[in-house]
Amino acid sequence: MGMEWPPTPAQQRKAVVASGSALKLVLFVILAGLALRLLVGPAAYLLPPTAAPEGAARLFPAPGMERTGGGGIPSVEMDDAVFTLTSSEPLTALDKKEGSPKPEESCDLFHGEWVPNSSGPAYTNASCRFIESPQNCMTNGRPDTDYLNWRWKPYGCEVPPFDGKKFLDGMKGKHWALIGDSILRNHVQSLLCLLSKVEDATEVYHGDTFRSRRWHFPSHDFTVSLIWAPFLVKAKIFEDDDGVSTADLQLHLDVLEKNWTSQWESFDYVVISTGQWFFKTAVYWENGVAIGCHSCQNKTLKERPPEYSFRRALKVAFQFITSSPHKPVVFYRTWAPSHFENGEWFSGGTCNRTAPFKPGEAGDREMDNKMWRIEREEFDNAVANKGPIDGDRLKLLDTFELSLLRPDGHSGPYRAYHPYVKGMTAQVQNDCLHWCLPGPIDAWNDVLMKMLAKD
């Protein structure tokens, strides 16, 4: 048997060359195959897809975005597709231009915070003649002005300033009614001031006490009515403008106040509300019989809390609104909180703050929150049982949170003209319920305008 010697250097070089040539040939064949696959690309997409492992996520293009031509380059529109991962079902892609809700559409207008506003108020006491004396804080000598430089900012969206021209142009020939207590009077003054930048209103009616009034904008044939109905239900009231009573209120919880129901068919839009009056001493009537009272002198009547009468009045009012054959657009405005500290209006309470609360700073507002929950429950019940009401014509104008955060916006001692002219120690009654004008209540109209624009 002969021995096998290792190859000579010359033989090694030949082997290397041969193997290198073979490698080049293999690479050429692979590249040629890839080139051919690209040239006949459409056929590749006719092959059945490789099955994904069970439970694994799969990705499918949106309808109308499938690859339809040769080559592997997707349409530019694919960049706009939003893909959702699922564990077992085929993925669907929502086109952002068509299916996904816009941030503005999902924004809660009533949940947010007050942020600085360098633009200042939309009007002043000098530019608007509709501000009544108890809310004319600037004329009455309020020394600070920081309360004028804030705007309401919902989380996730913006509320533009009220646009008086757009509002009046859109409301030609319409009749608005604001129905409720003195907070609604405060509200209507704000609305008139904002609109006066476009057209000055003419008063065409007022009641004997000026609590119910009506204004007309002749160039736009637009009417605004303020209707005094502090309980919405029928009430016999025995008190003066300073809140001093000579007898207990008589409140008929099953009978609505005719001064607003008798005019209902003339209204195209309604802002309606009630509130703080239910804390007053009152005797409650139903079916012509006294069924109880709140803090009344007649101790033979059953004591009932204000929550009882509040809920009953709301229920009757909503029943009328939803069952009436006339269907104006109705905004129910929620509870307006007061900000008395160190007492109430009748016991030396004050409101001397000069900046808004930050979220969470308002503290425990048990009664305010309780009344707010009641009205939202009754509103939800009304919407659920609205029957033949046309479309979404009953709306919630939920101003509670944005109002709660503004303890600095009330008239306070400046409900009176220069209350401290005789010295800062003077005994002055504060108003910590109504709002300075201009002031935070103007944001109610900003939000109202935004709600109208969304529709």
Side-chain angles (χ1 to χ4, degrees):
M1 181 184 295
M3 297 183 63
E4 295 183 0
W5 298 94
T8 64
Q11 290 173 325
Q12 289 179 342
R13 285 193 296 271
K14 289 180 181 179
V16 169
V17 170
S19 63
S21 299
L23 180 60
K24 289 179 181 178
L25 180 62
V26 171
L27 290 174
F28 175 80
V29 171
I30 292 173
L31 291 173
L34 289 174
L36 182 61
R37 183 179 178 87
L38 290 173
L39 289 174
V40 295
Y45 298 104
L46 298 177
L47 296 175
T50 303
E54 185 176 353
R58 295 180 293 165
L59 192 65
F60 288 86
M65 291 185 176
E66 298 87 355
R67 300 179 185 183
T68 56
I73 303 174
S75 165
V76 175
E77 291 181 356
M78 288 290 287
D79 293 338
D80 289 334
V82 180
F83 292 91
T84 304
L85 291 175
T86 60
S87 59
S88 58
E89 295 297 323
L91 298 178
T92 57
L94 298 178
D95 188 89
K96 283 190 285 190
K97 302 172 199 171
E98 295 179 0
S100 298
K102 298 178 181 178
E104 292 286 324
E105 294 175 355
S106 59
C107 175
D108 182 354
L109 296 175
F110 312 119
H111 184 46
E113 62 184 333
W114 290 89
V115 298
N117 178 27
S118 59
S119 300
Y123 58 90
T124 69
N125 59 324
S127 65
C128 180
R129 65 181 180 87
F130 296 102
I131 305 173
E132 296 183 4
S133 180
Q135 287 77 54
N136 201 337
C137 302
M138 300 170 76
T139 296
N140 290 344
R142 179 168 175 170
D144 63 303
T145 57
D146 287 349
Y147 72 96
L148 298 171
N149 299 315
W150 299 89
R151 65 179 179 86
W152 176 245
K153 172 67 173 68
Y155 297 126
C157 64
E158 296 286 340
V159 175
F162 185 89
D163 188 331
K165 184 178 187 306
K166 183 179 291 186
F167 181 92
L168 285 173
D169 286 347
M171 293 296 160
K172 289 183 177 179
K174 302 299 183 183
H175 186 180
W176 277 65
L178 285 83
I179 304 167
D181 56 20
S182 55
I183 300 296
L184 264 295
R185 183 167 69 239
N186 206 172
H187 187 177
V188 82
Q189 291 172 43
S190 169
L191 179 62
L192 293 173
C193 284
L194 291 167
L195 294 177
S196 68
K197 299 168 63 178
V198 181
E199 182 182 0
D200 211 34
T202 302
E203 187 175 54
V204 294
Y205 166 80
H206 63 77
D208 294 339
T209 61
F210 285 82
R211 285 179 164 176
S212 291
R213 305 170 73 175
R214 183 174 298 139
W215 296 267
H216 188 243
F217 294 78
S219 296
H220 295 83
D221 190 23
F222 174 61
T223 304
V224 177
S225 289
L226 172 65
I227 299 175
W228 175 252
F231 296 99
L232 302 182
V233 294
K234 181 180 178 182
K236 293 182 179 180
I237 302 172
F238 308 95
E239 71 174 41
D240 59 22
D241 291 338
D242 292 324
V244 179
S245 298
T246 58
D248 292 343
L249 280 162
Q250 304 295 307
L251 205 55
H252 296 262
L253 300 177
D254 55 348
V255 181
L256 291 172
E257 193 70 78
K258 288 184 178 180
N259 62 344
W260 67 273
T261 58
S262 63
Q263 303 180 65
W264 188 253
E265 292 188 359
S266 69
F267 304 145
D268 299 298
Y269 291 82
V270 174
V271 180
I272 190 168
S273 186
T274 186
Q276 299 281 346
W277 279 72
F278 283 90
F279 290 137
K280 293 179 178 290
T281 298
V283 176
Y284 303 145
W285 295 75
E286 290 188 22
N287 298 316
V289 178
I291 52 102
C293 70
H294 172 59
S295 300
C296 65
Q297 299 174 11
N298 186 348
K299 301 306 179 184
T300 63
L301 292 174
K302 181 179 179 180
E303 175 66 22
R304 294 185 183 271
E307 303 96 289
Y308 172 82
S309 57
F310 185 58
R311 187 183 293 277
R312 289 289 297 128
L314 288 176
K315 192 181 295 291
V316 173
F318 281 133
Q319 285 175 348
F320 171 82
I321 291 169
T322 56
S323 63
S324 172
H326 180 61
K327 305 298 181 186
V329 176
V330 179
F331 297 89
Y332 178 79
R333 198 218 73 225
T334 54
W335 187 260
S338 66
H339 290 95
F340 287 98
E341 297 182 78
N342 307 310
E344 295 297 326
W345 70 270
F346 54 83
S347 58
T350 60
C351 42
N352 297 325
R353 295 181 183 267
T354 57
F357 284 137
K358 294 178 181 178
E361 286 185 345
D364 181 19
R365 309 291 295 233
E366 180 181 358
M367 186 53 70
D368 284 331
N369 280 289
K370 184 180 293 185
M371 303 300 261
W372 183 42
R373 284 195 299 271
I374 288 173
E375 60 188 353
R376 286 182 298 153
E377 289 169 3
E378 292 305 319
F379 177 88
D380 289 343
N381 290 338
V383 170
N385 301 318
K386 61 187 178 183
I389 192 168
D390 298 332
D392 186 21
R393 288 182 168 264
L394 180 58
K395 304 173 184 294
L396 192 69
L397 178 59
D398 192 358
T399 57
F400 176 73
E401 181 179 327
L402 66 90
S403 303
L404 183 62
L405 296 177
R406 291 304 304 272
D408 59 319
H410 298 290
S411 305
Y414 298 99
R415 66 187 292 271
Y417 184 75
H418 289 271
Y420 297 115
V421 68
K422 294 182 180 180
M424 295 301 293
T425 59
Q427 293 295 315
V428 177
Q429 188 179 52
N430 280 244
D431 182 351
C432 304
L433 176 60
H434 300 90
W435 305 93
C436 291
L437 291 172
I441 198 171
D442 295 320
W444 296 8
N445 287 311
D446 296 340
V447 172
L448 189 58
M449 181 85 182
K450 179 74 172 181
M451 293 176 71
L452 289 169
K454 288 176 69 174
D455 291 338

